[in-house]
Amino acid sequence: MTILDGKKVSNEILEDLKSKFASLNKKITFAIIWVGNNEASGIYIKNKLKKCEELGIEGKLYHLEEDTTEEEVLELIAKLNNDNNVNGILIQSPLPKPINEVNCFNHVSYKKDVDGFSNISAGNLTLGNPSLISCTPKGIITLLDYYHINLEGKNVCLINRSNIVGKPLFNLLIKRNATVTMCHSKTNNLEDFTKEADIVISAVGRPKFITSDMVKEGSVVIDVGISRVNGKVIGDVDFASVSQKTSYITPVPGGVGPMTIAMIFSNLYEAITKYQDK
Ligand code: NAP
């Protein structure tokens, strides 16, 4: 059994991006919009700003009050979209209610949409056109590629149908000629699908949701889920037992999570070189 070491792979990717950013020979600015004071968001933002520093780019935080209106957020997004000195825009989720988060994501220019959440980015991905791709799905494919795990003709059981994980990942997988079954909370007899799968990708958010009796011998298991139990981050997969049966498996933490972060900056580089330097 091989552990898919997302931490190691993401470090390599970030190291490579550092020299790529340097070779652009210009100031790069990555804007983060944070509304309110969600504690977890604060930690994620601190980490992203630290990564910016390590990569030699400027991370610029726009921290707005909890009672900021959606119109005010949209105004800021428009300002950043039009600012030629800003190369990438990320809106830290969740935004406080009643702000419509999806509407805000959709207002980020596709040229700076490092999250790949706008309708243009998501639509282009669905149509098989070039686009900036949602970071977690892109990170999973990049990790599988790194370990030379071939997807063509493979049966993939994907447990998630959200806009940020399941749907973009489905599109990336079929592009690679995998046969994908997309499962969700209304799927009957989930284990009938997981047991048949060469690759199981679980993004449910329930600890120990995937048990060893649900996977076949030699399968690949990708654990996207994040739950916090007694201050510890754990995934969907009962790692100790499931890993006895798998050929490859991601740990939590240290699997998909770090890949997601690396892909934000990979998208920033793509945004600059493919959409802005034209
Ligand atoms: P979400 O929108 O809540 O999606 C959860 C998915 O799980 C939904 O499609 C849901 O089905 C399905 N589900 C729930 N209970 C189920 C059950 N009993 N059987 C089968 N499917 C079930 O959440 P999300 O934003 O996509 O994130 C999913 C998980 O991934 C969370 O734990 C999140 O923290 C984690 N995540 C991790 C990263 C990372 O970088 N590692 C990035 C993003 C998300 P329905 O559609 O029917 O509700």
Side-chain angles (χ1 to χ4, degrees):
M1 181 271 298
T2 302
I3 289 183
L4 299 170
D5 190 344
K7 186 133 188 59
K8 181 189 96 167
V9 179
S10 75
N11 282 340
E12 285 180 20
I13 291 169
L14 289 167
E15 224 16 77
D16 179 49
L17 282 169
K18 188 177 176 175
S19 34
K20 282 179 166 161
F21 282 127
S23 69
L24 293 175
N25 273 323
K26 65 176 194 178
K27 187 177 173 208
I28 292 152
T29 302
F30 177 56
I32 301 177
I33 300 175
W34 181 21
V35 186
N37 286 300
N38 180 295
E39 205 181 319
S41 293
I43 297 167
Y44 293 138
I45 287 167
K46 206 172 145 201
N47 288 339
K48 283 171 194 147
L49 291 172
K50 190 165 162 254
K51 283 276 176 292
C52 287
E53 220 179 298
E54 288 165 11
L55 291 168
I57 63 181
E58 188 191 9
K60 213 166 174 180
L61 177 61
Y62 294 83
H63 192 180
L64 308 177
E65 300 289 338
E66 180 85 26
D67 61 357
T68 303
T69 63
E70 187 171 325
E71 286 66 33
E72 287 167 330
V73 178
L74 294 178
E75 263 171 42
L76 174 60
I77 295 168
K79 193 181 112 193
L80 298 173
N81 280 341
N82 292 324
D83 185 342
N84 288 335
N85 295 316
V86 172
N87 304 101
I89 304 169
L90 181 142
I91 302 169
Q92 185 63 47
S93 175
L95 293 179
K97 288 191 169 105
I99 297 176
N100 180 340
E101 185 173 273
V102 174
N103 189 39
C104 293
F105 290 151
N106 190 33
H107 275 76
V108 175
S109 162
Y110 74 95
K111 296 182 178 182
K112 302 185 180 183
D113 183 17
V114 292
D115 260 335
F117 290 164
S118 68
N119 290 0
I120 293 184
S121 303
N124 273 327
L125 173 64
T126 308
L127 295 171
N129 297 331
S131 69
L132 295 174
I133 296 169
S134 182
C135 298
T136 300
K138 185 178 176 182
I140 291 169
I141 298 291
T142 306
L143 189 60
L144 291 168
D145 283 347
Y146 184 94
Y147 285 91
H148 306 292
I149 297 169
N150 184 23
L151 288 164
E152 185 156 319
K154 296 285 164 59
N155 289 329
V156 180
C157 176
L158 169 57
I159 315 168
N160 184 294
R161 58 173 165 181
S162 73
N163 290 342
I164 62 164
V165 181
K167 286 176 192 153
L169 188 50
F170 177 87
N171 284 297
L172 293 173
L173 291 165
I174 57 169
K175 204 171 177 184
R176 295 298 190 86
N177 297 323
T179 304
V180 188
T181 309
M182 191 180 234
C183 301
H184 45 76
S185 66
K186 303 292 184 285
T187 300
N188 290 326
N189 305 323
L190 179 68
E191 60 280 5
D192 288 352
F193 299 99
T194 57
K195 273 184 196 161
E196 288 301 312
D198 303 307
I199 302 175
V200 174
I201 306 176
S202 181
V204 172
R206 284 203 199 175
K208 301 202 175 174
F209 181 75
I210 302 292
T211 48
S212 65
D213 55 316
M214 291 172 75
V215 300
K216 78 172 177 188
E217 204 70 49
S219 57
V220 176
V221 173
I222 306 293
D223 190 352
V224 188
I226 294 177
S227 305
R228 280 186 177 75
V229 179
N230 301 328
K232 260 183 79 180
V233 172
I234 54 172
D236 286 354
V237 176
D238 182 10
F239 186 89
S241 66
V242 173
S243 60
Q244 306 291 317
K245 282 178 92 175
T246 53
S247 53
Y248 295 90
I249 187 167
T250 57
V252 175
V256 174
M259 293 301 296
T260 299
I261 307 271
M263 292 305 112
I264 295 173
F265 295 101
S266 157
N267 276 348
L268 178 63
Y269 182 75
E270 258 190 61
I272 297 165
T273 51
K274 293 192 179 157
Y275 299 97
Q276 294 165 28
D277 282 354
K278 294 273 172 262

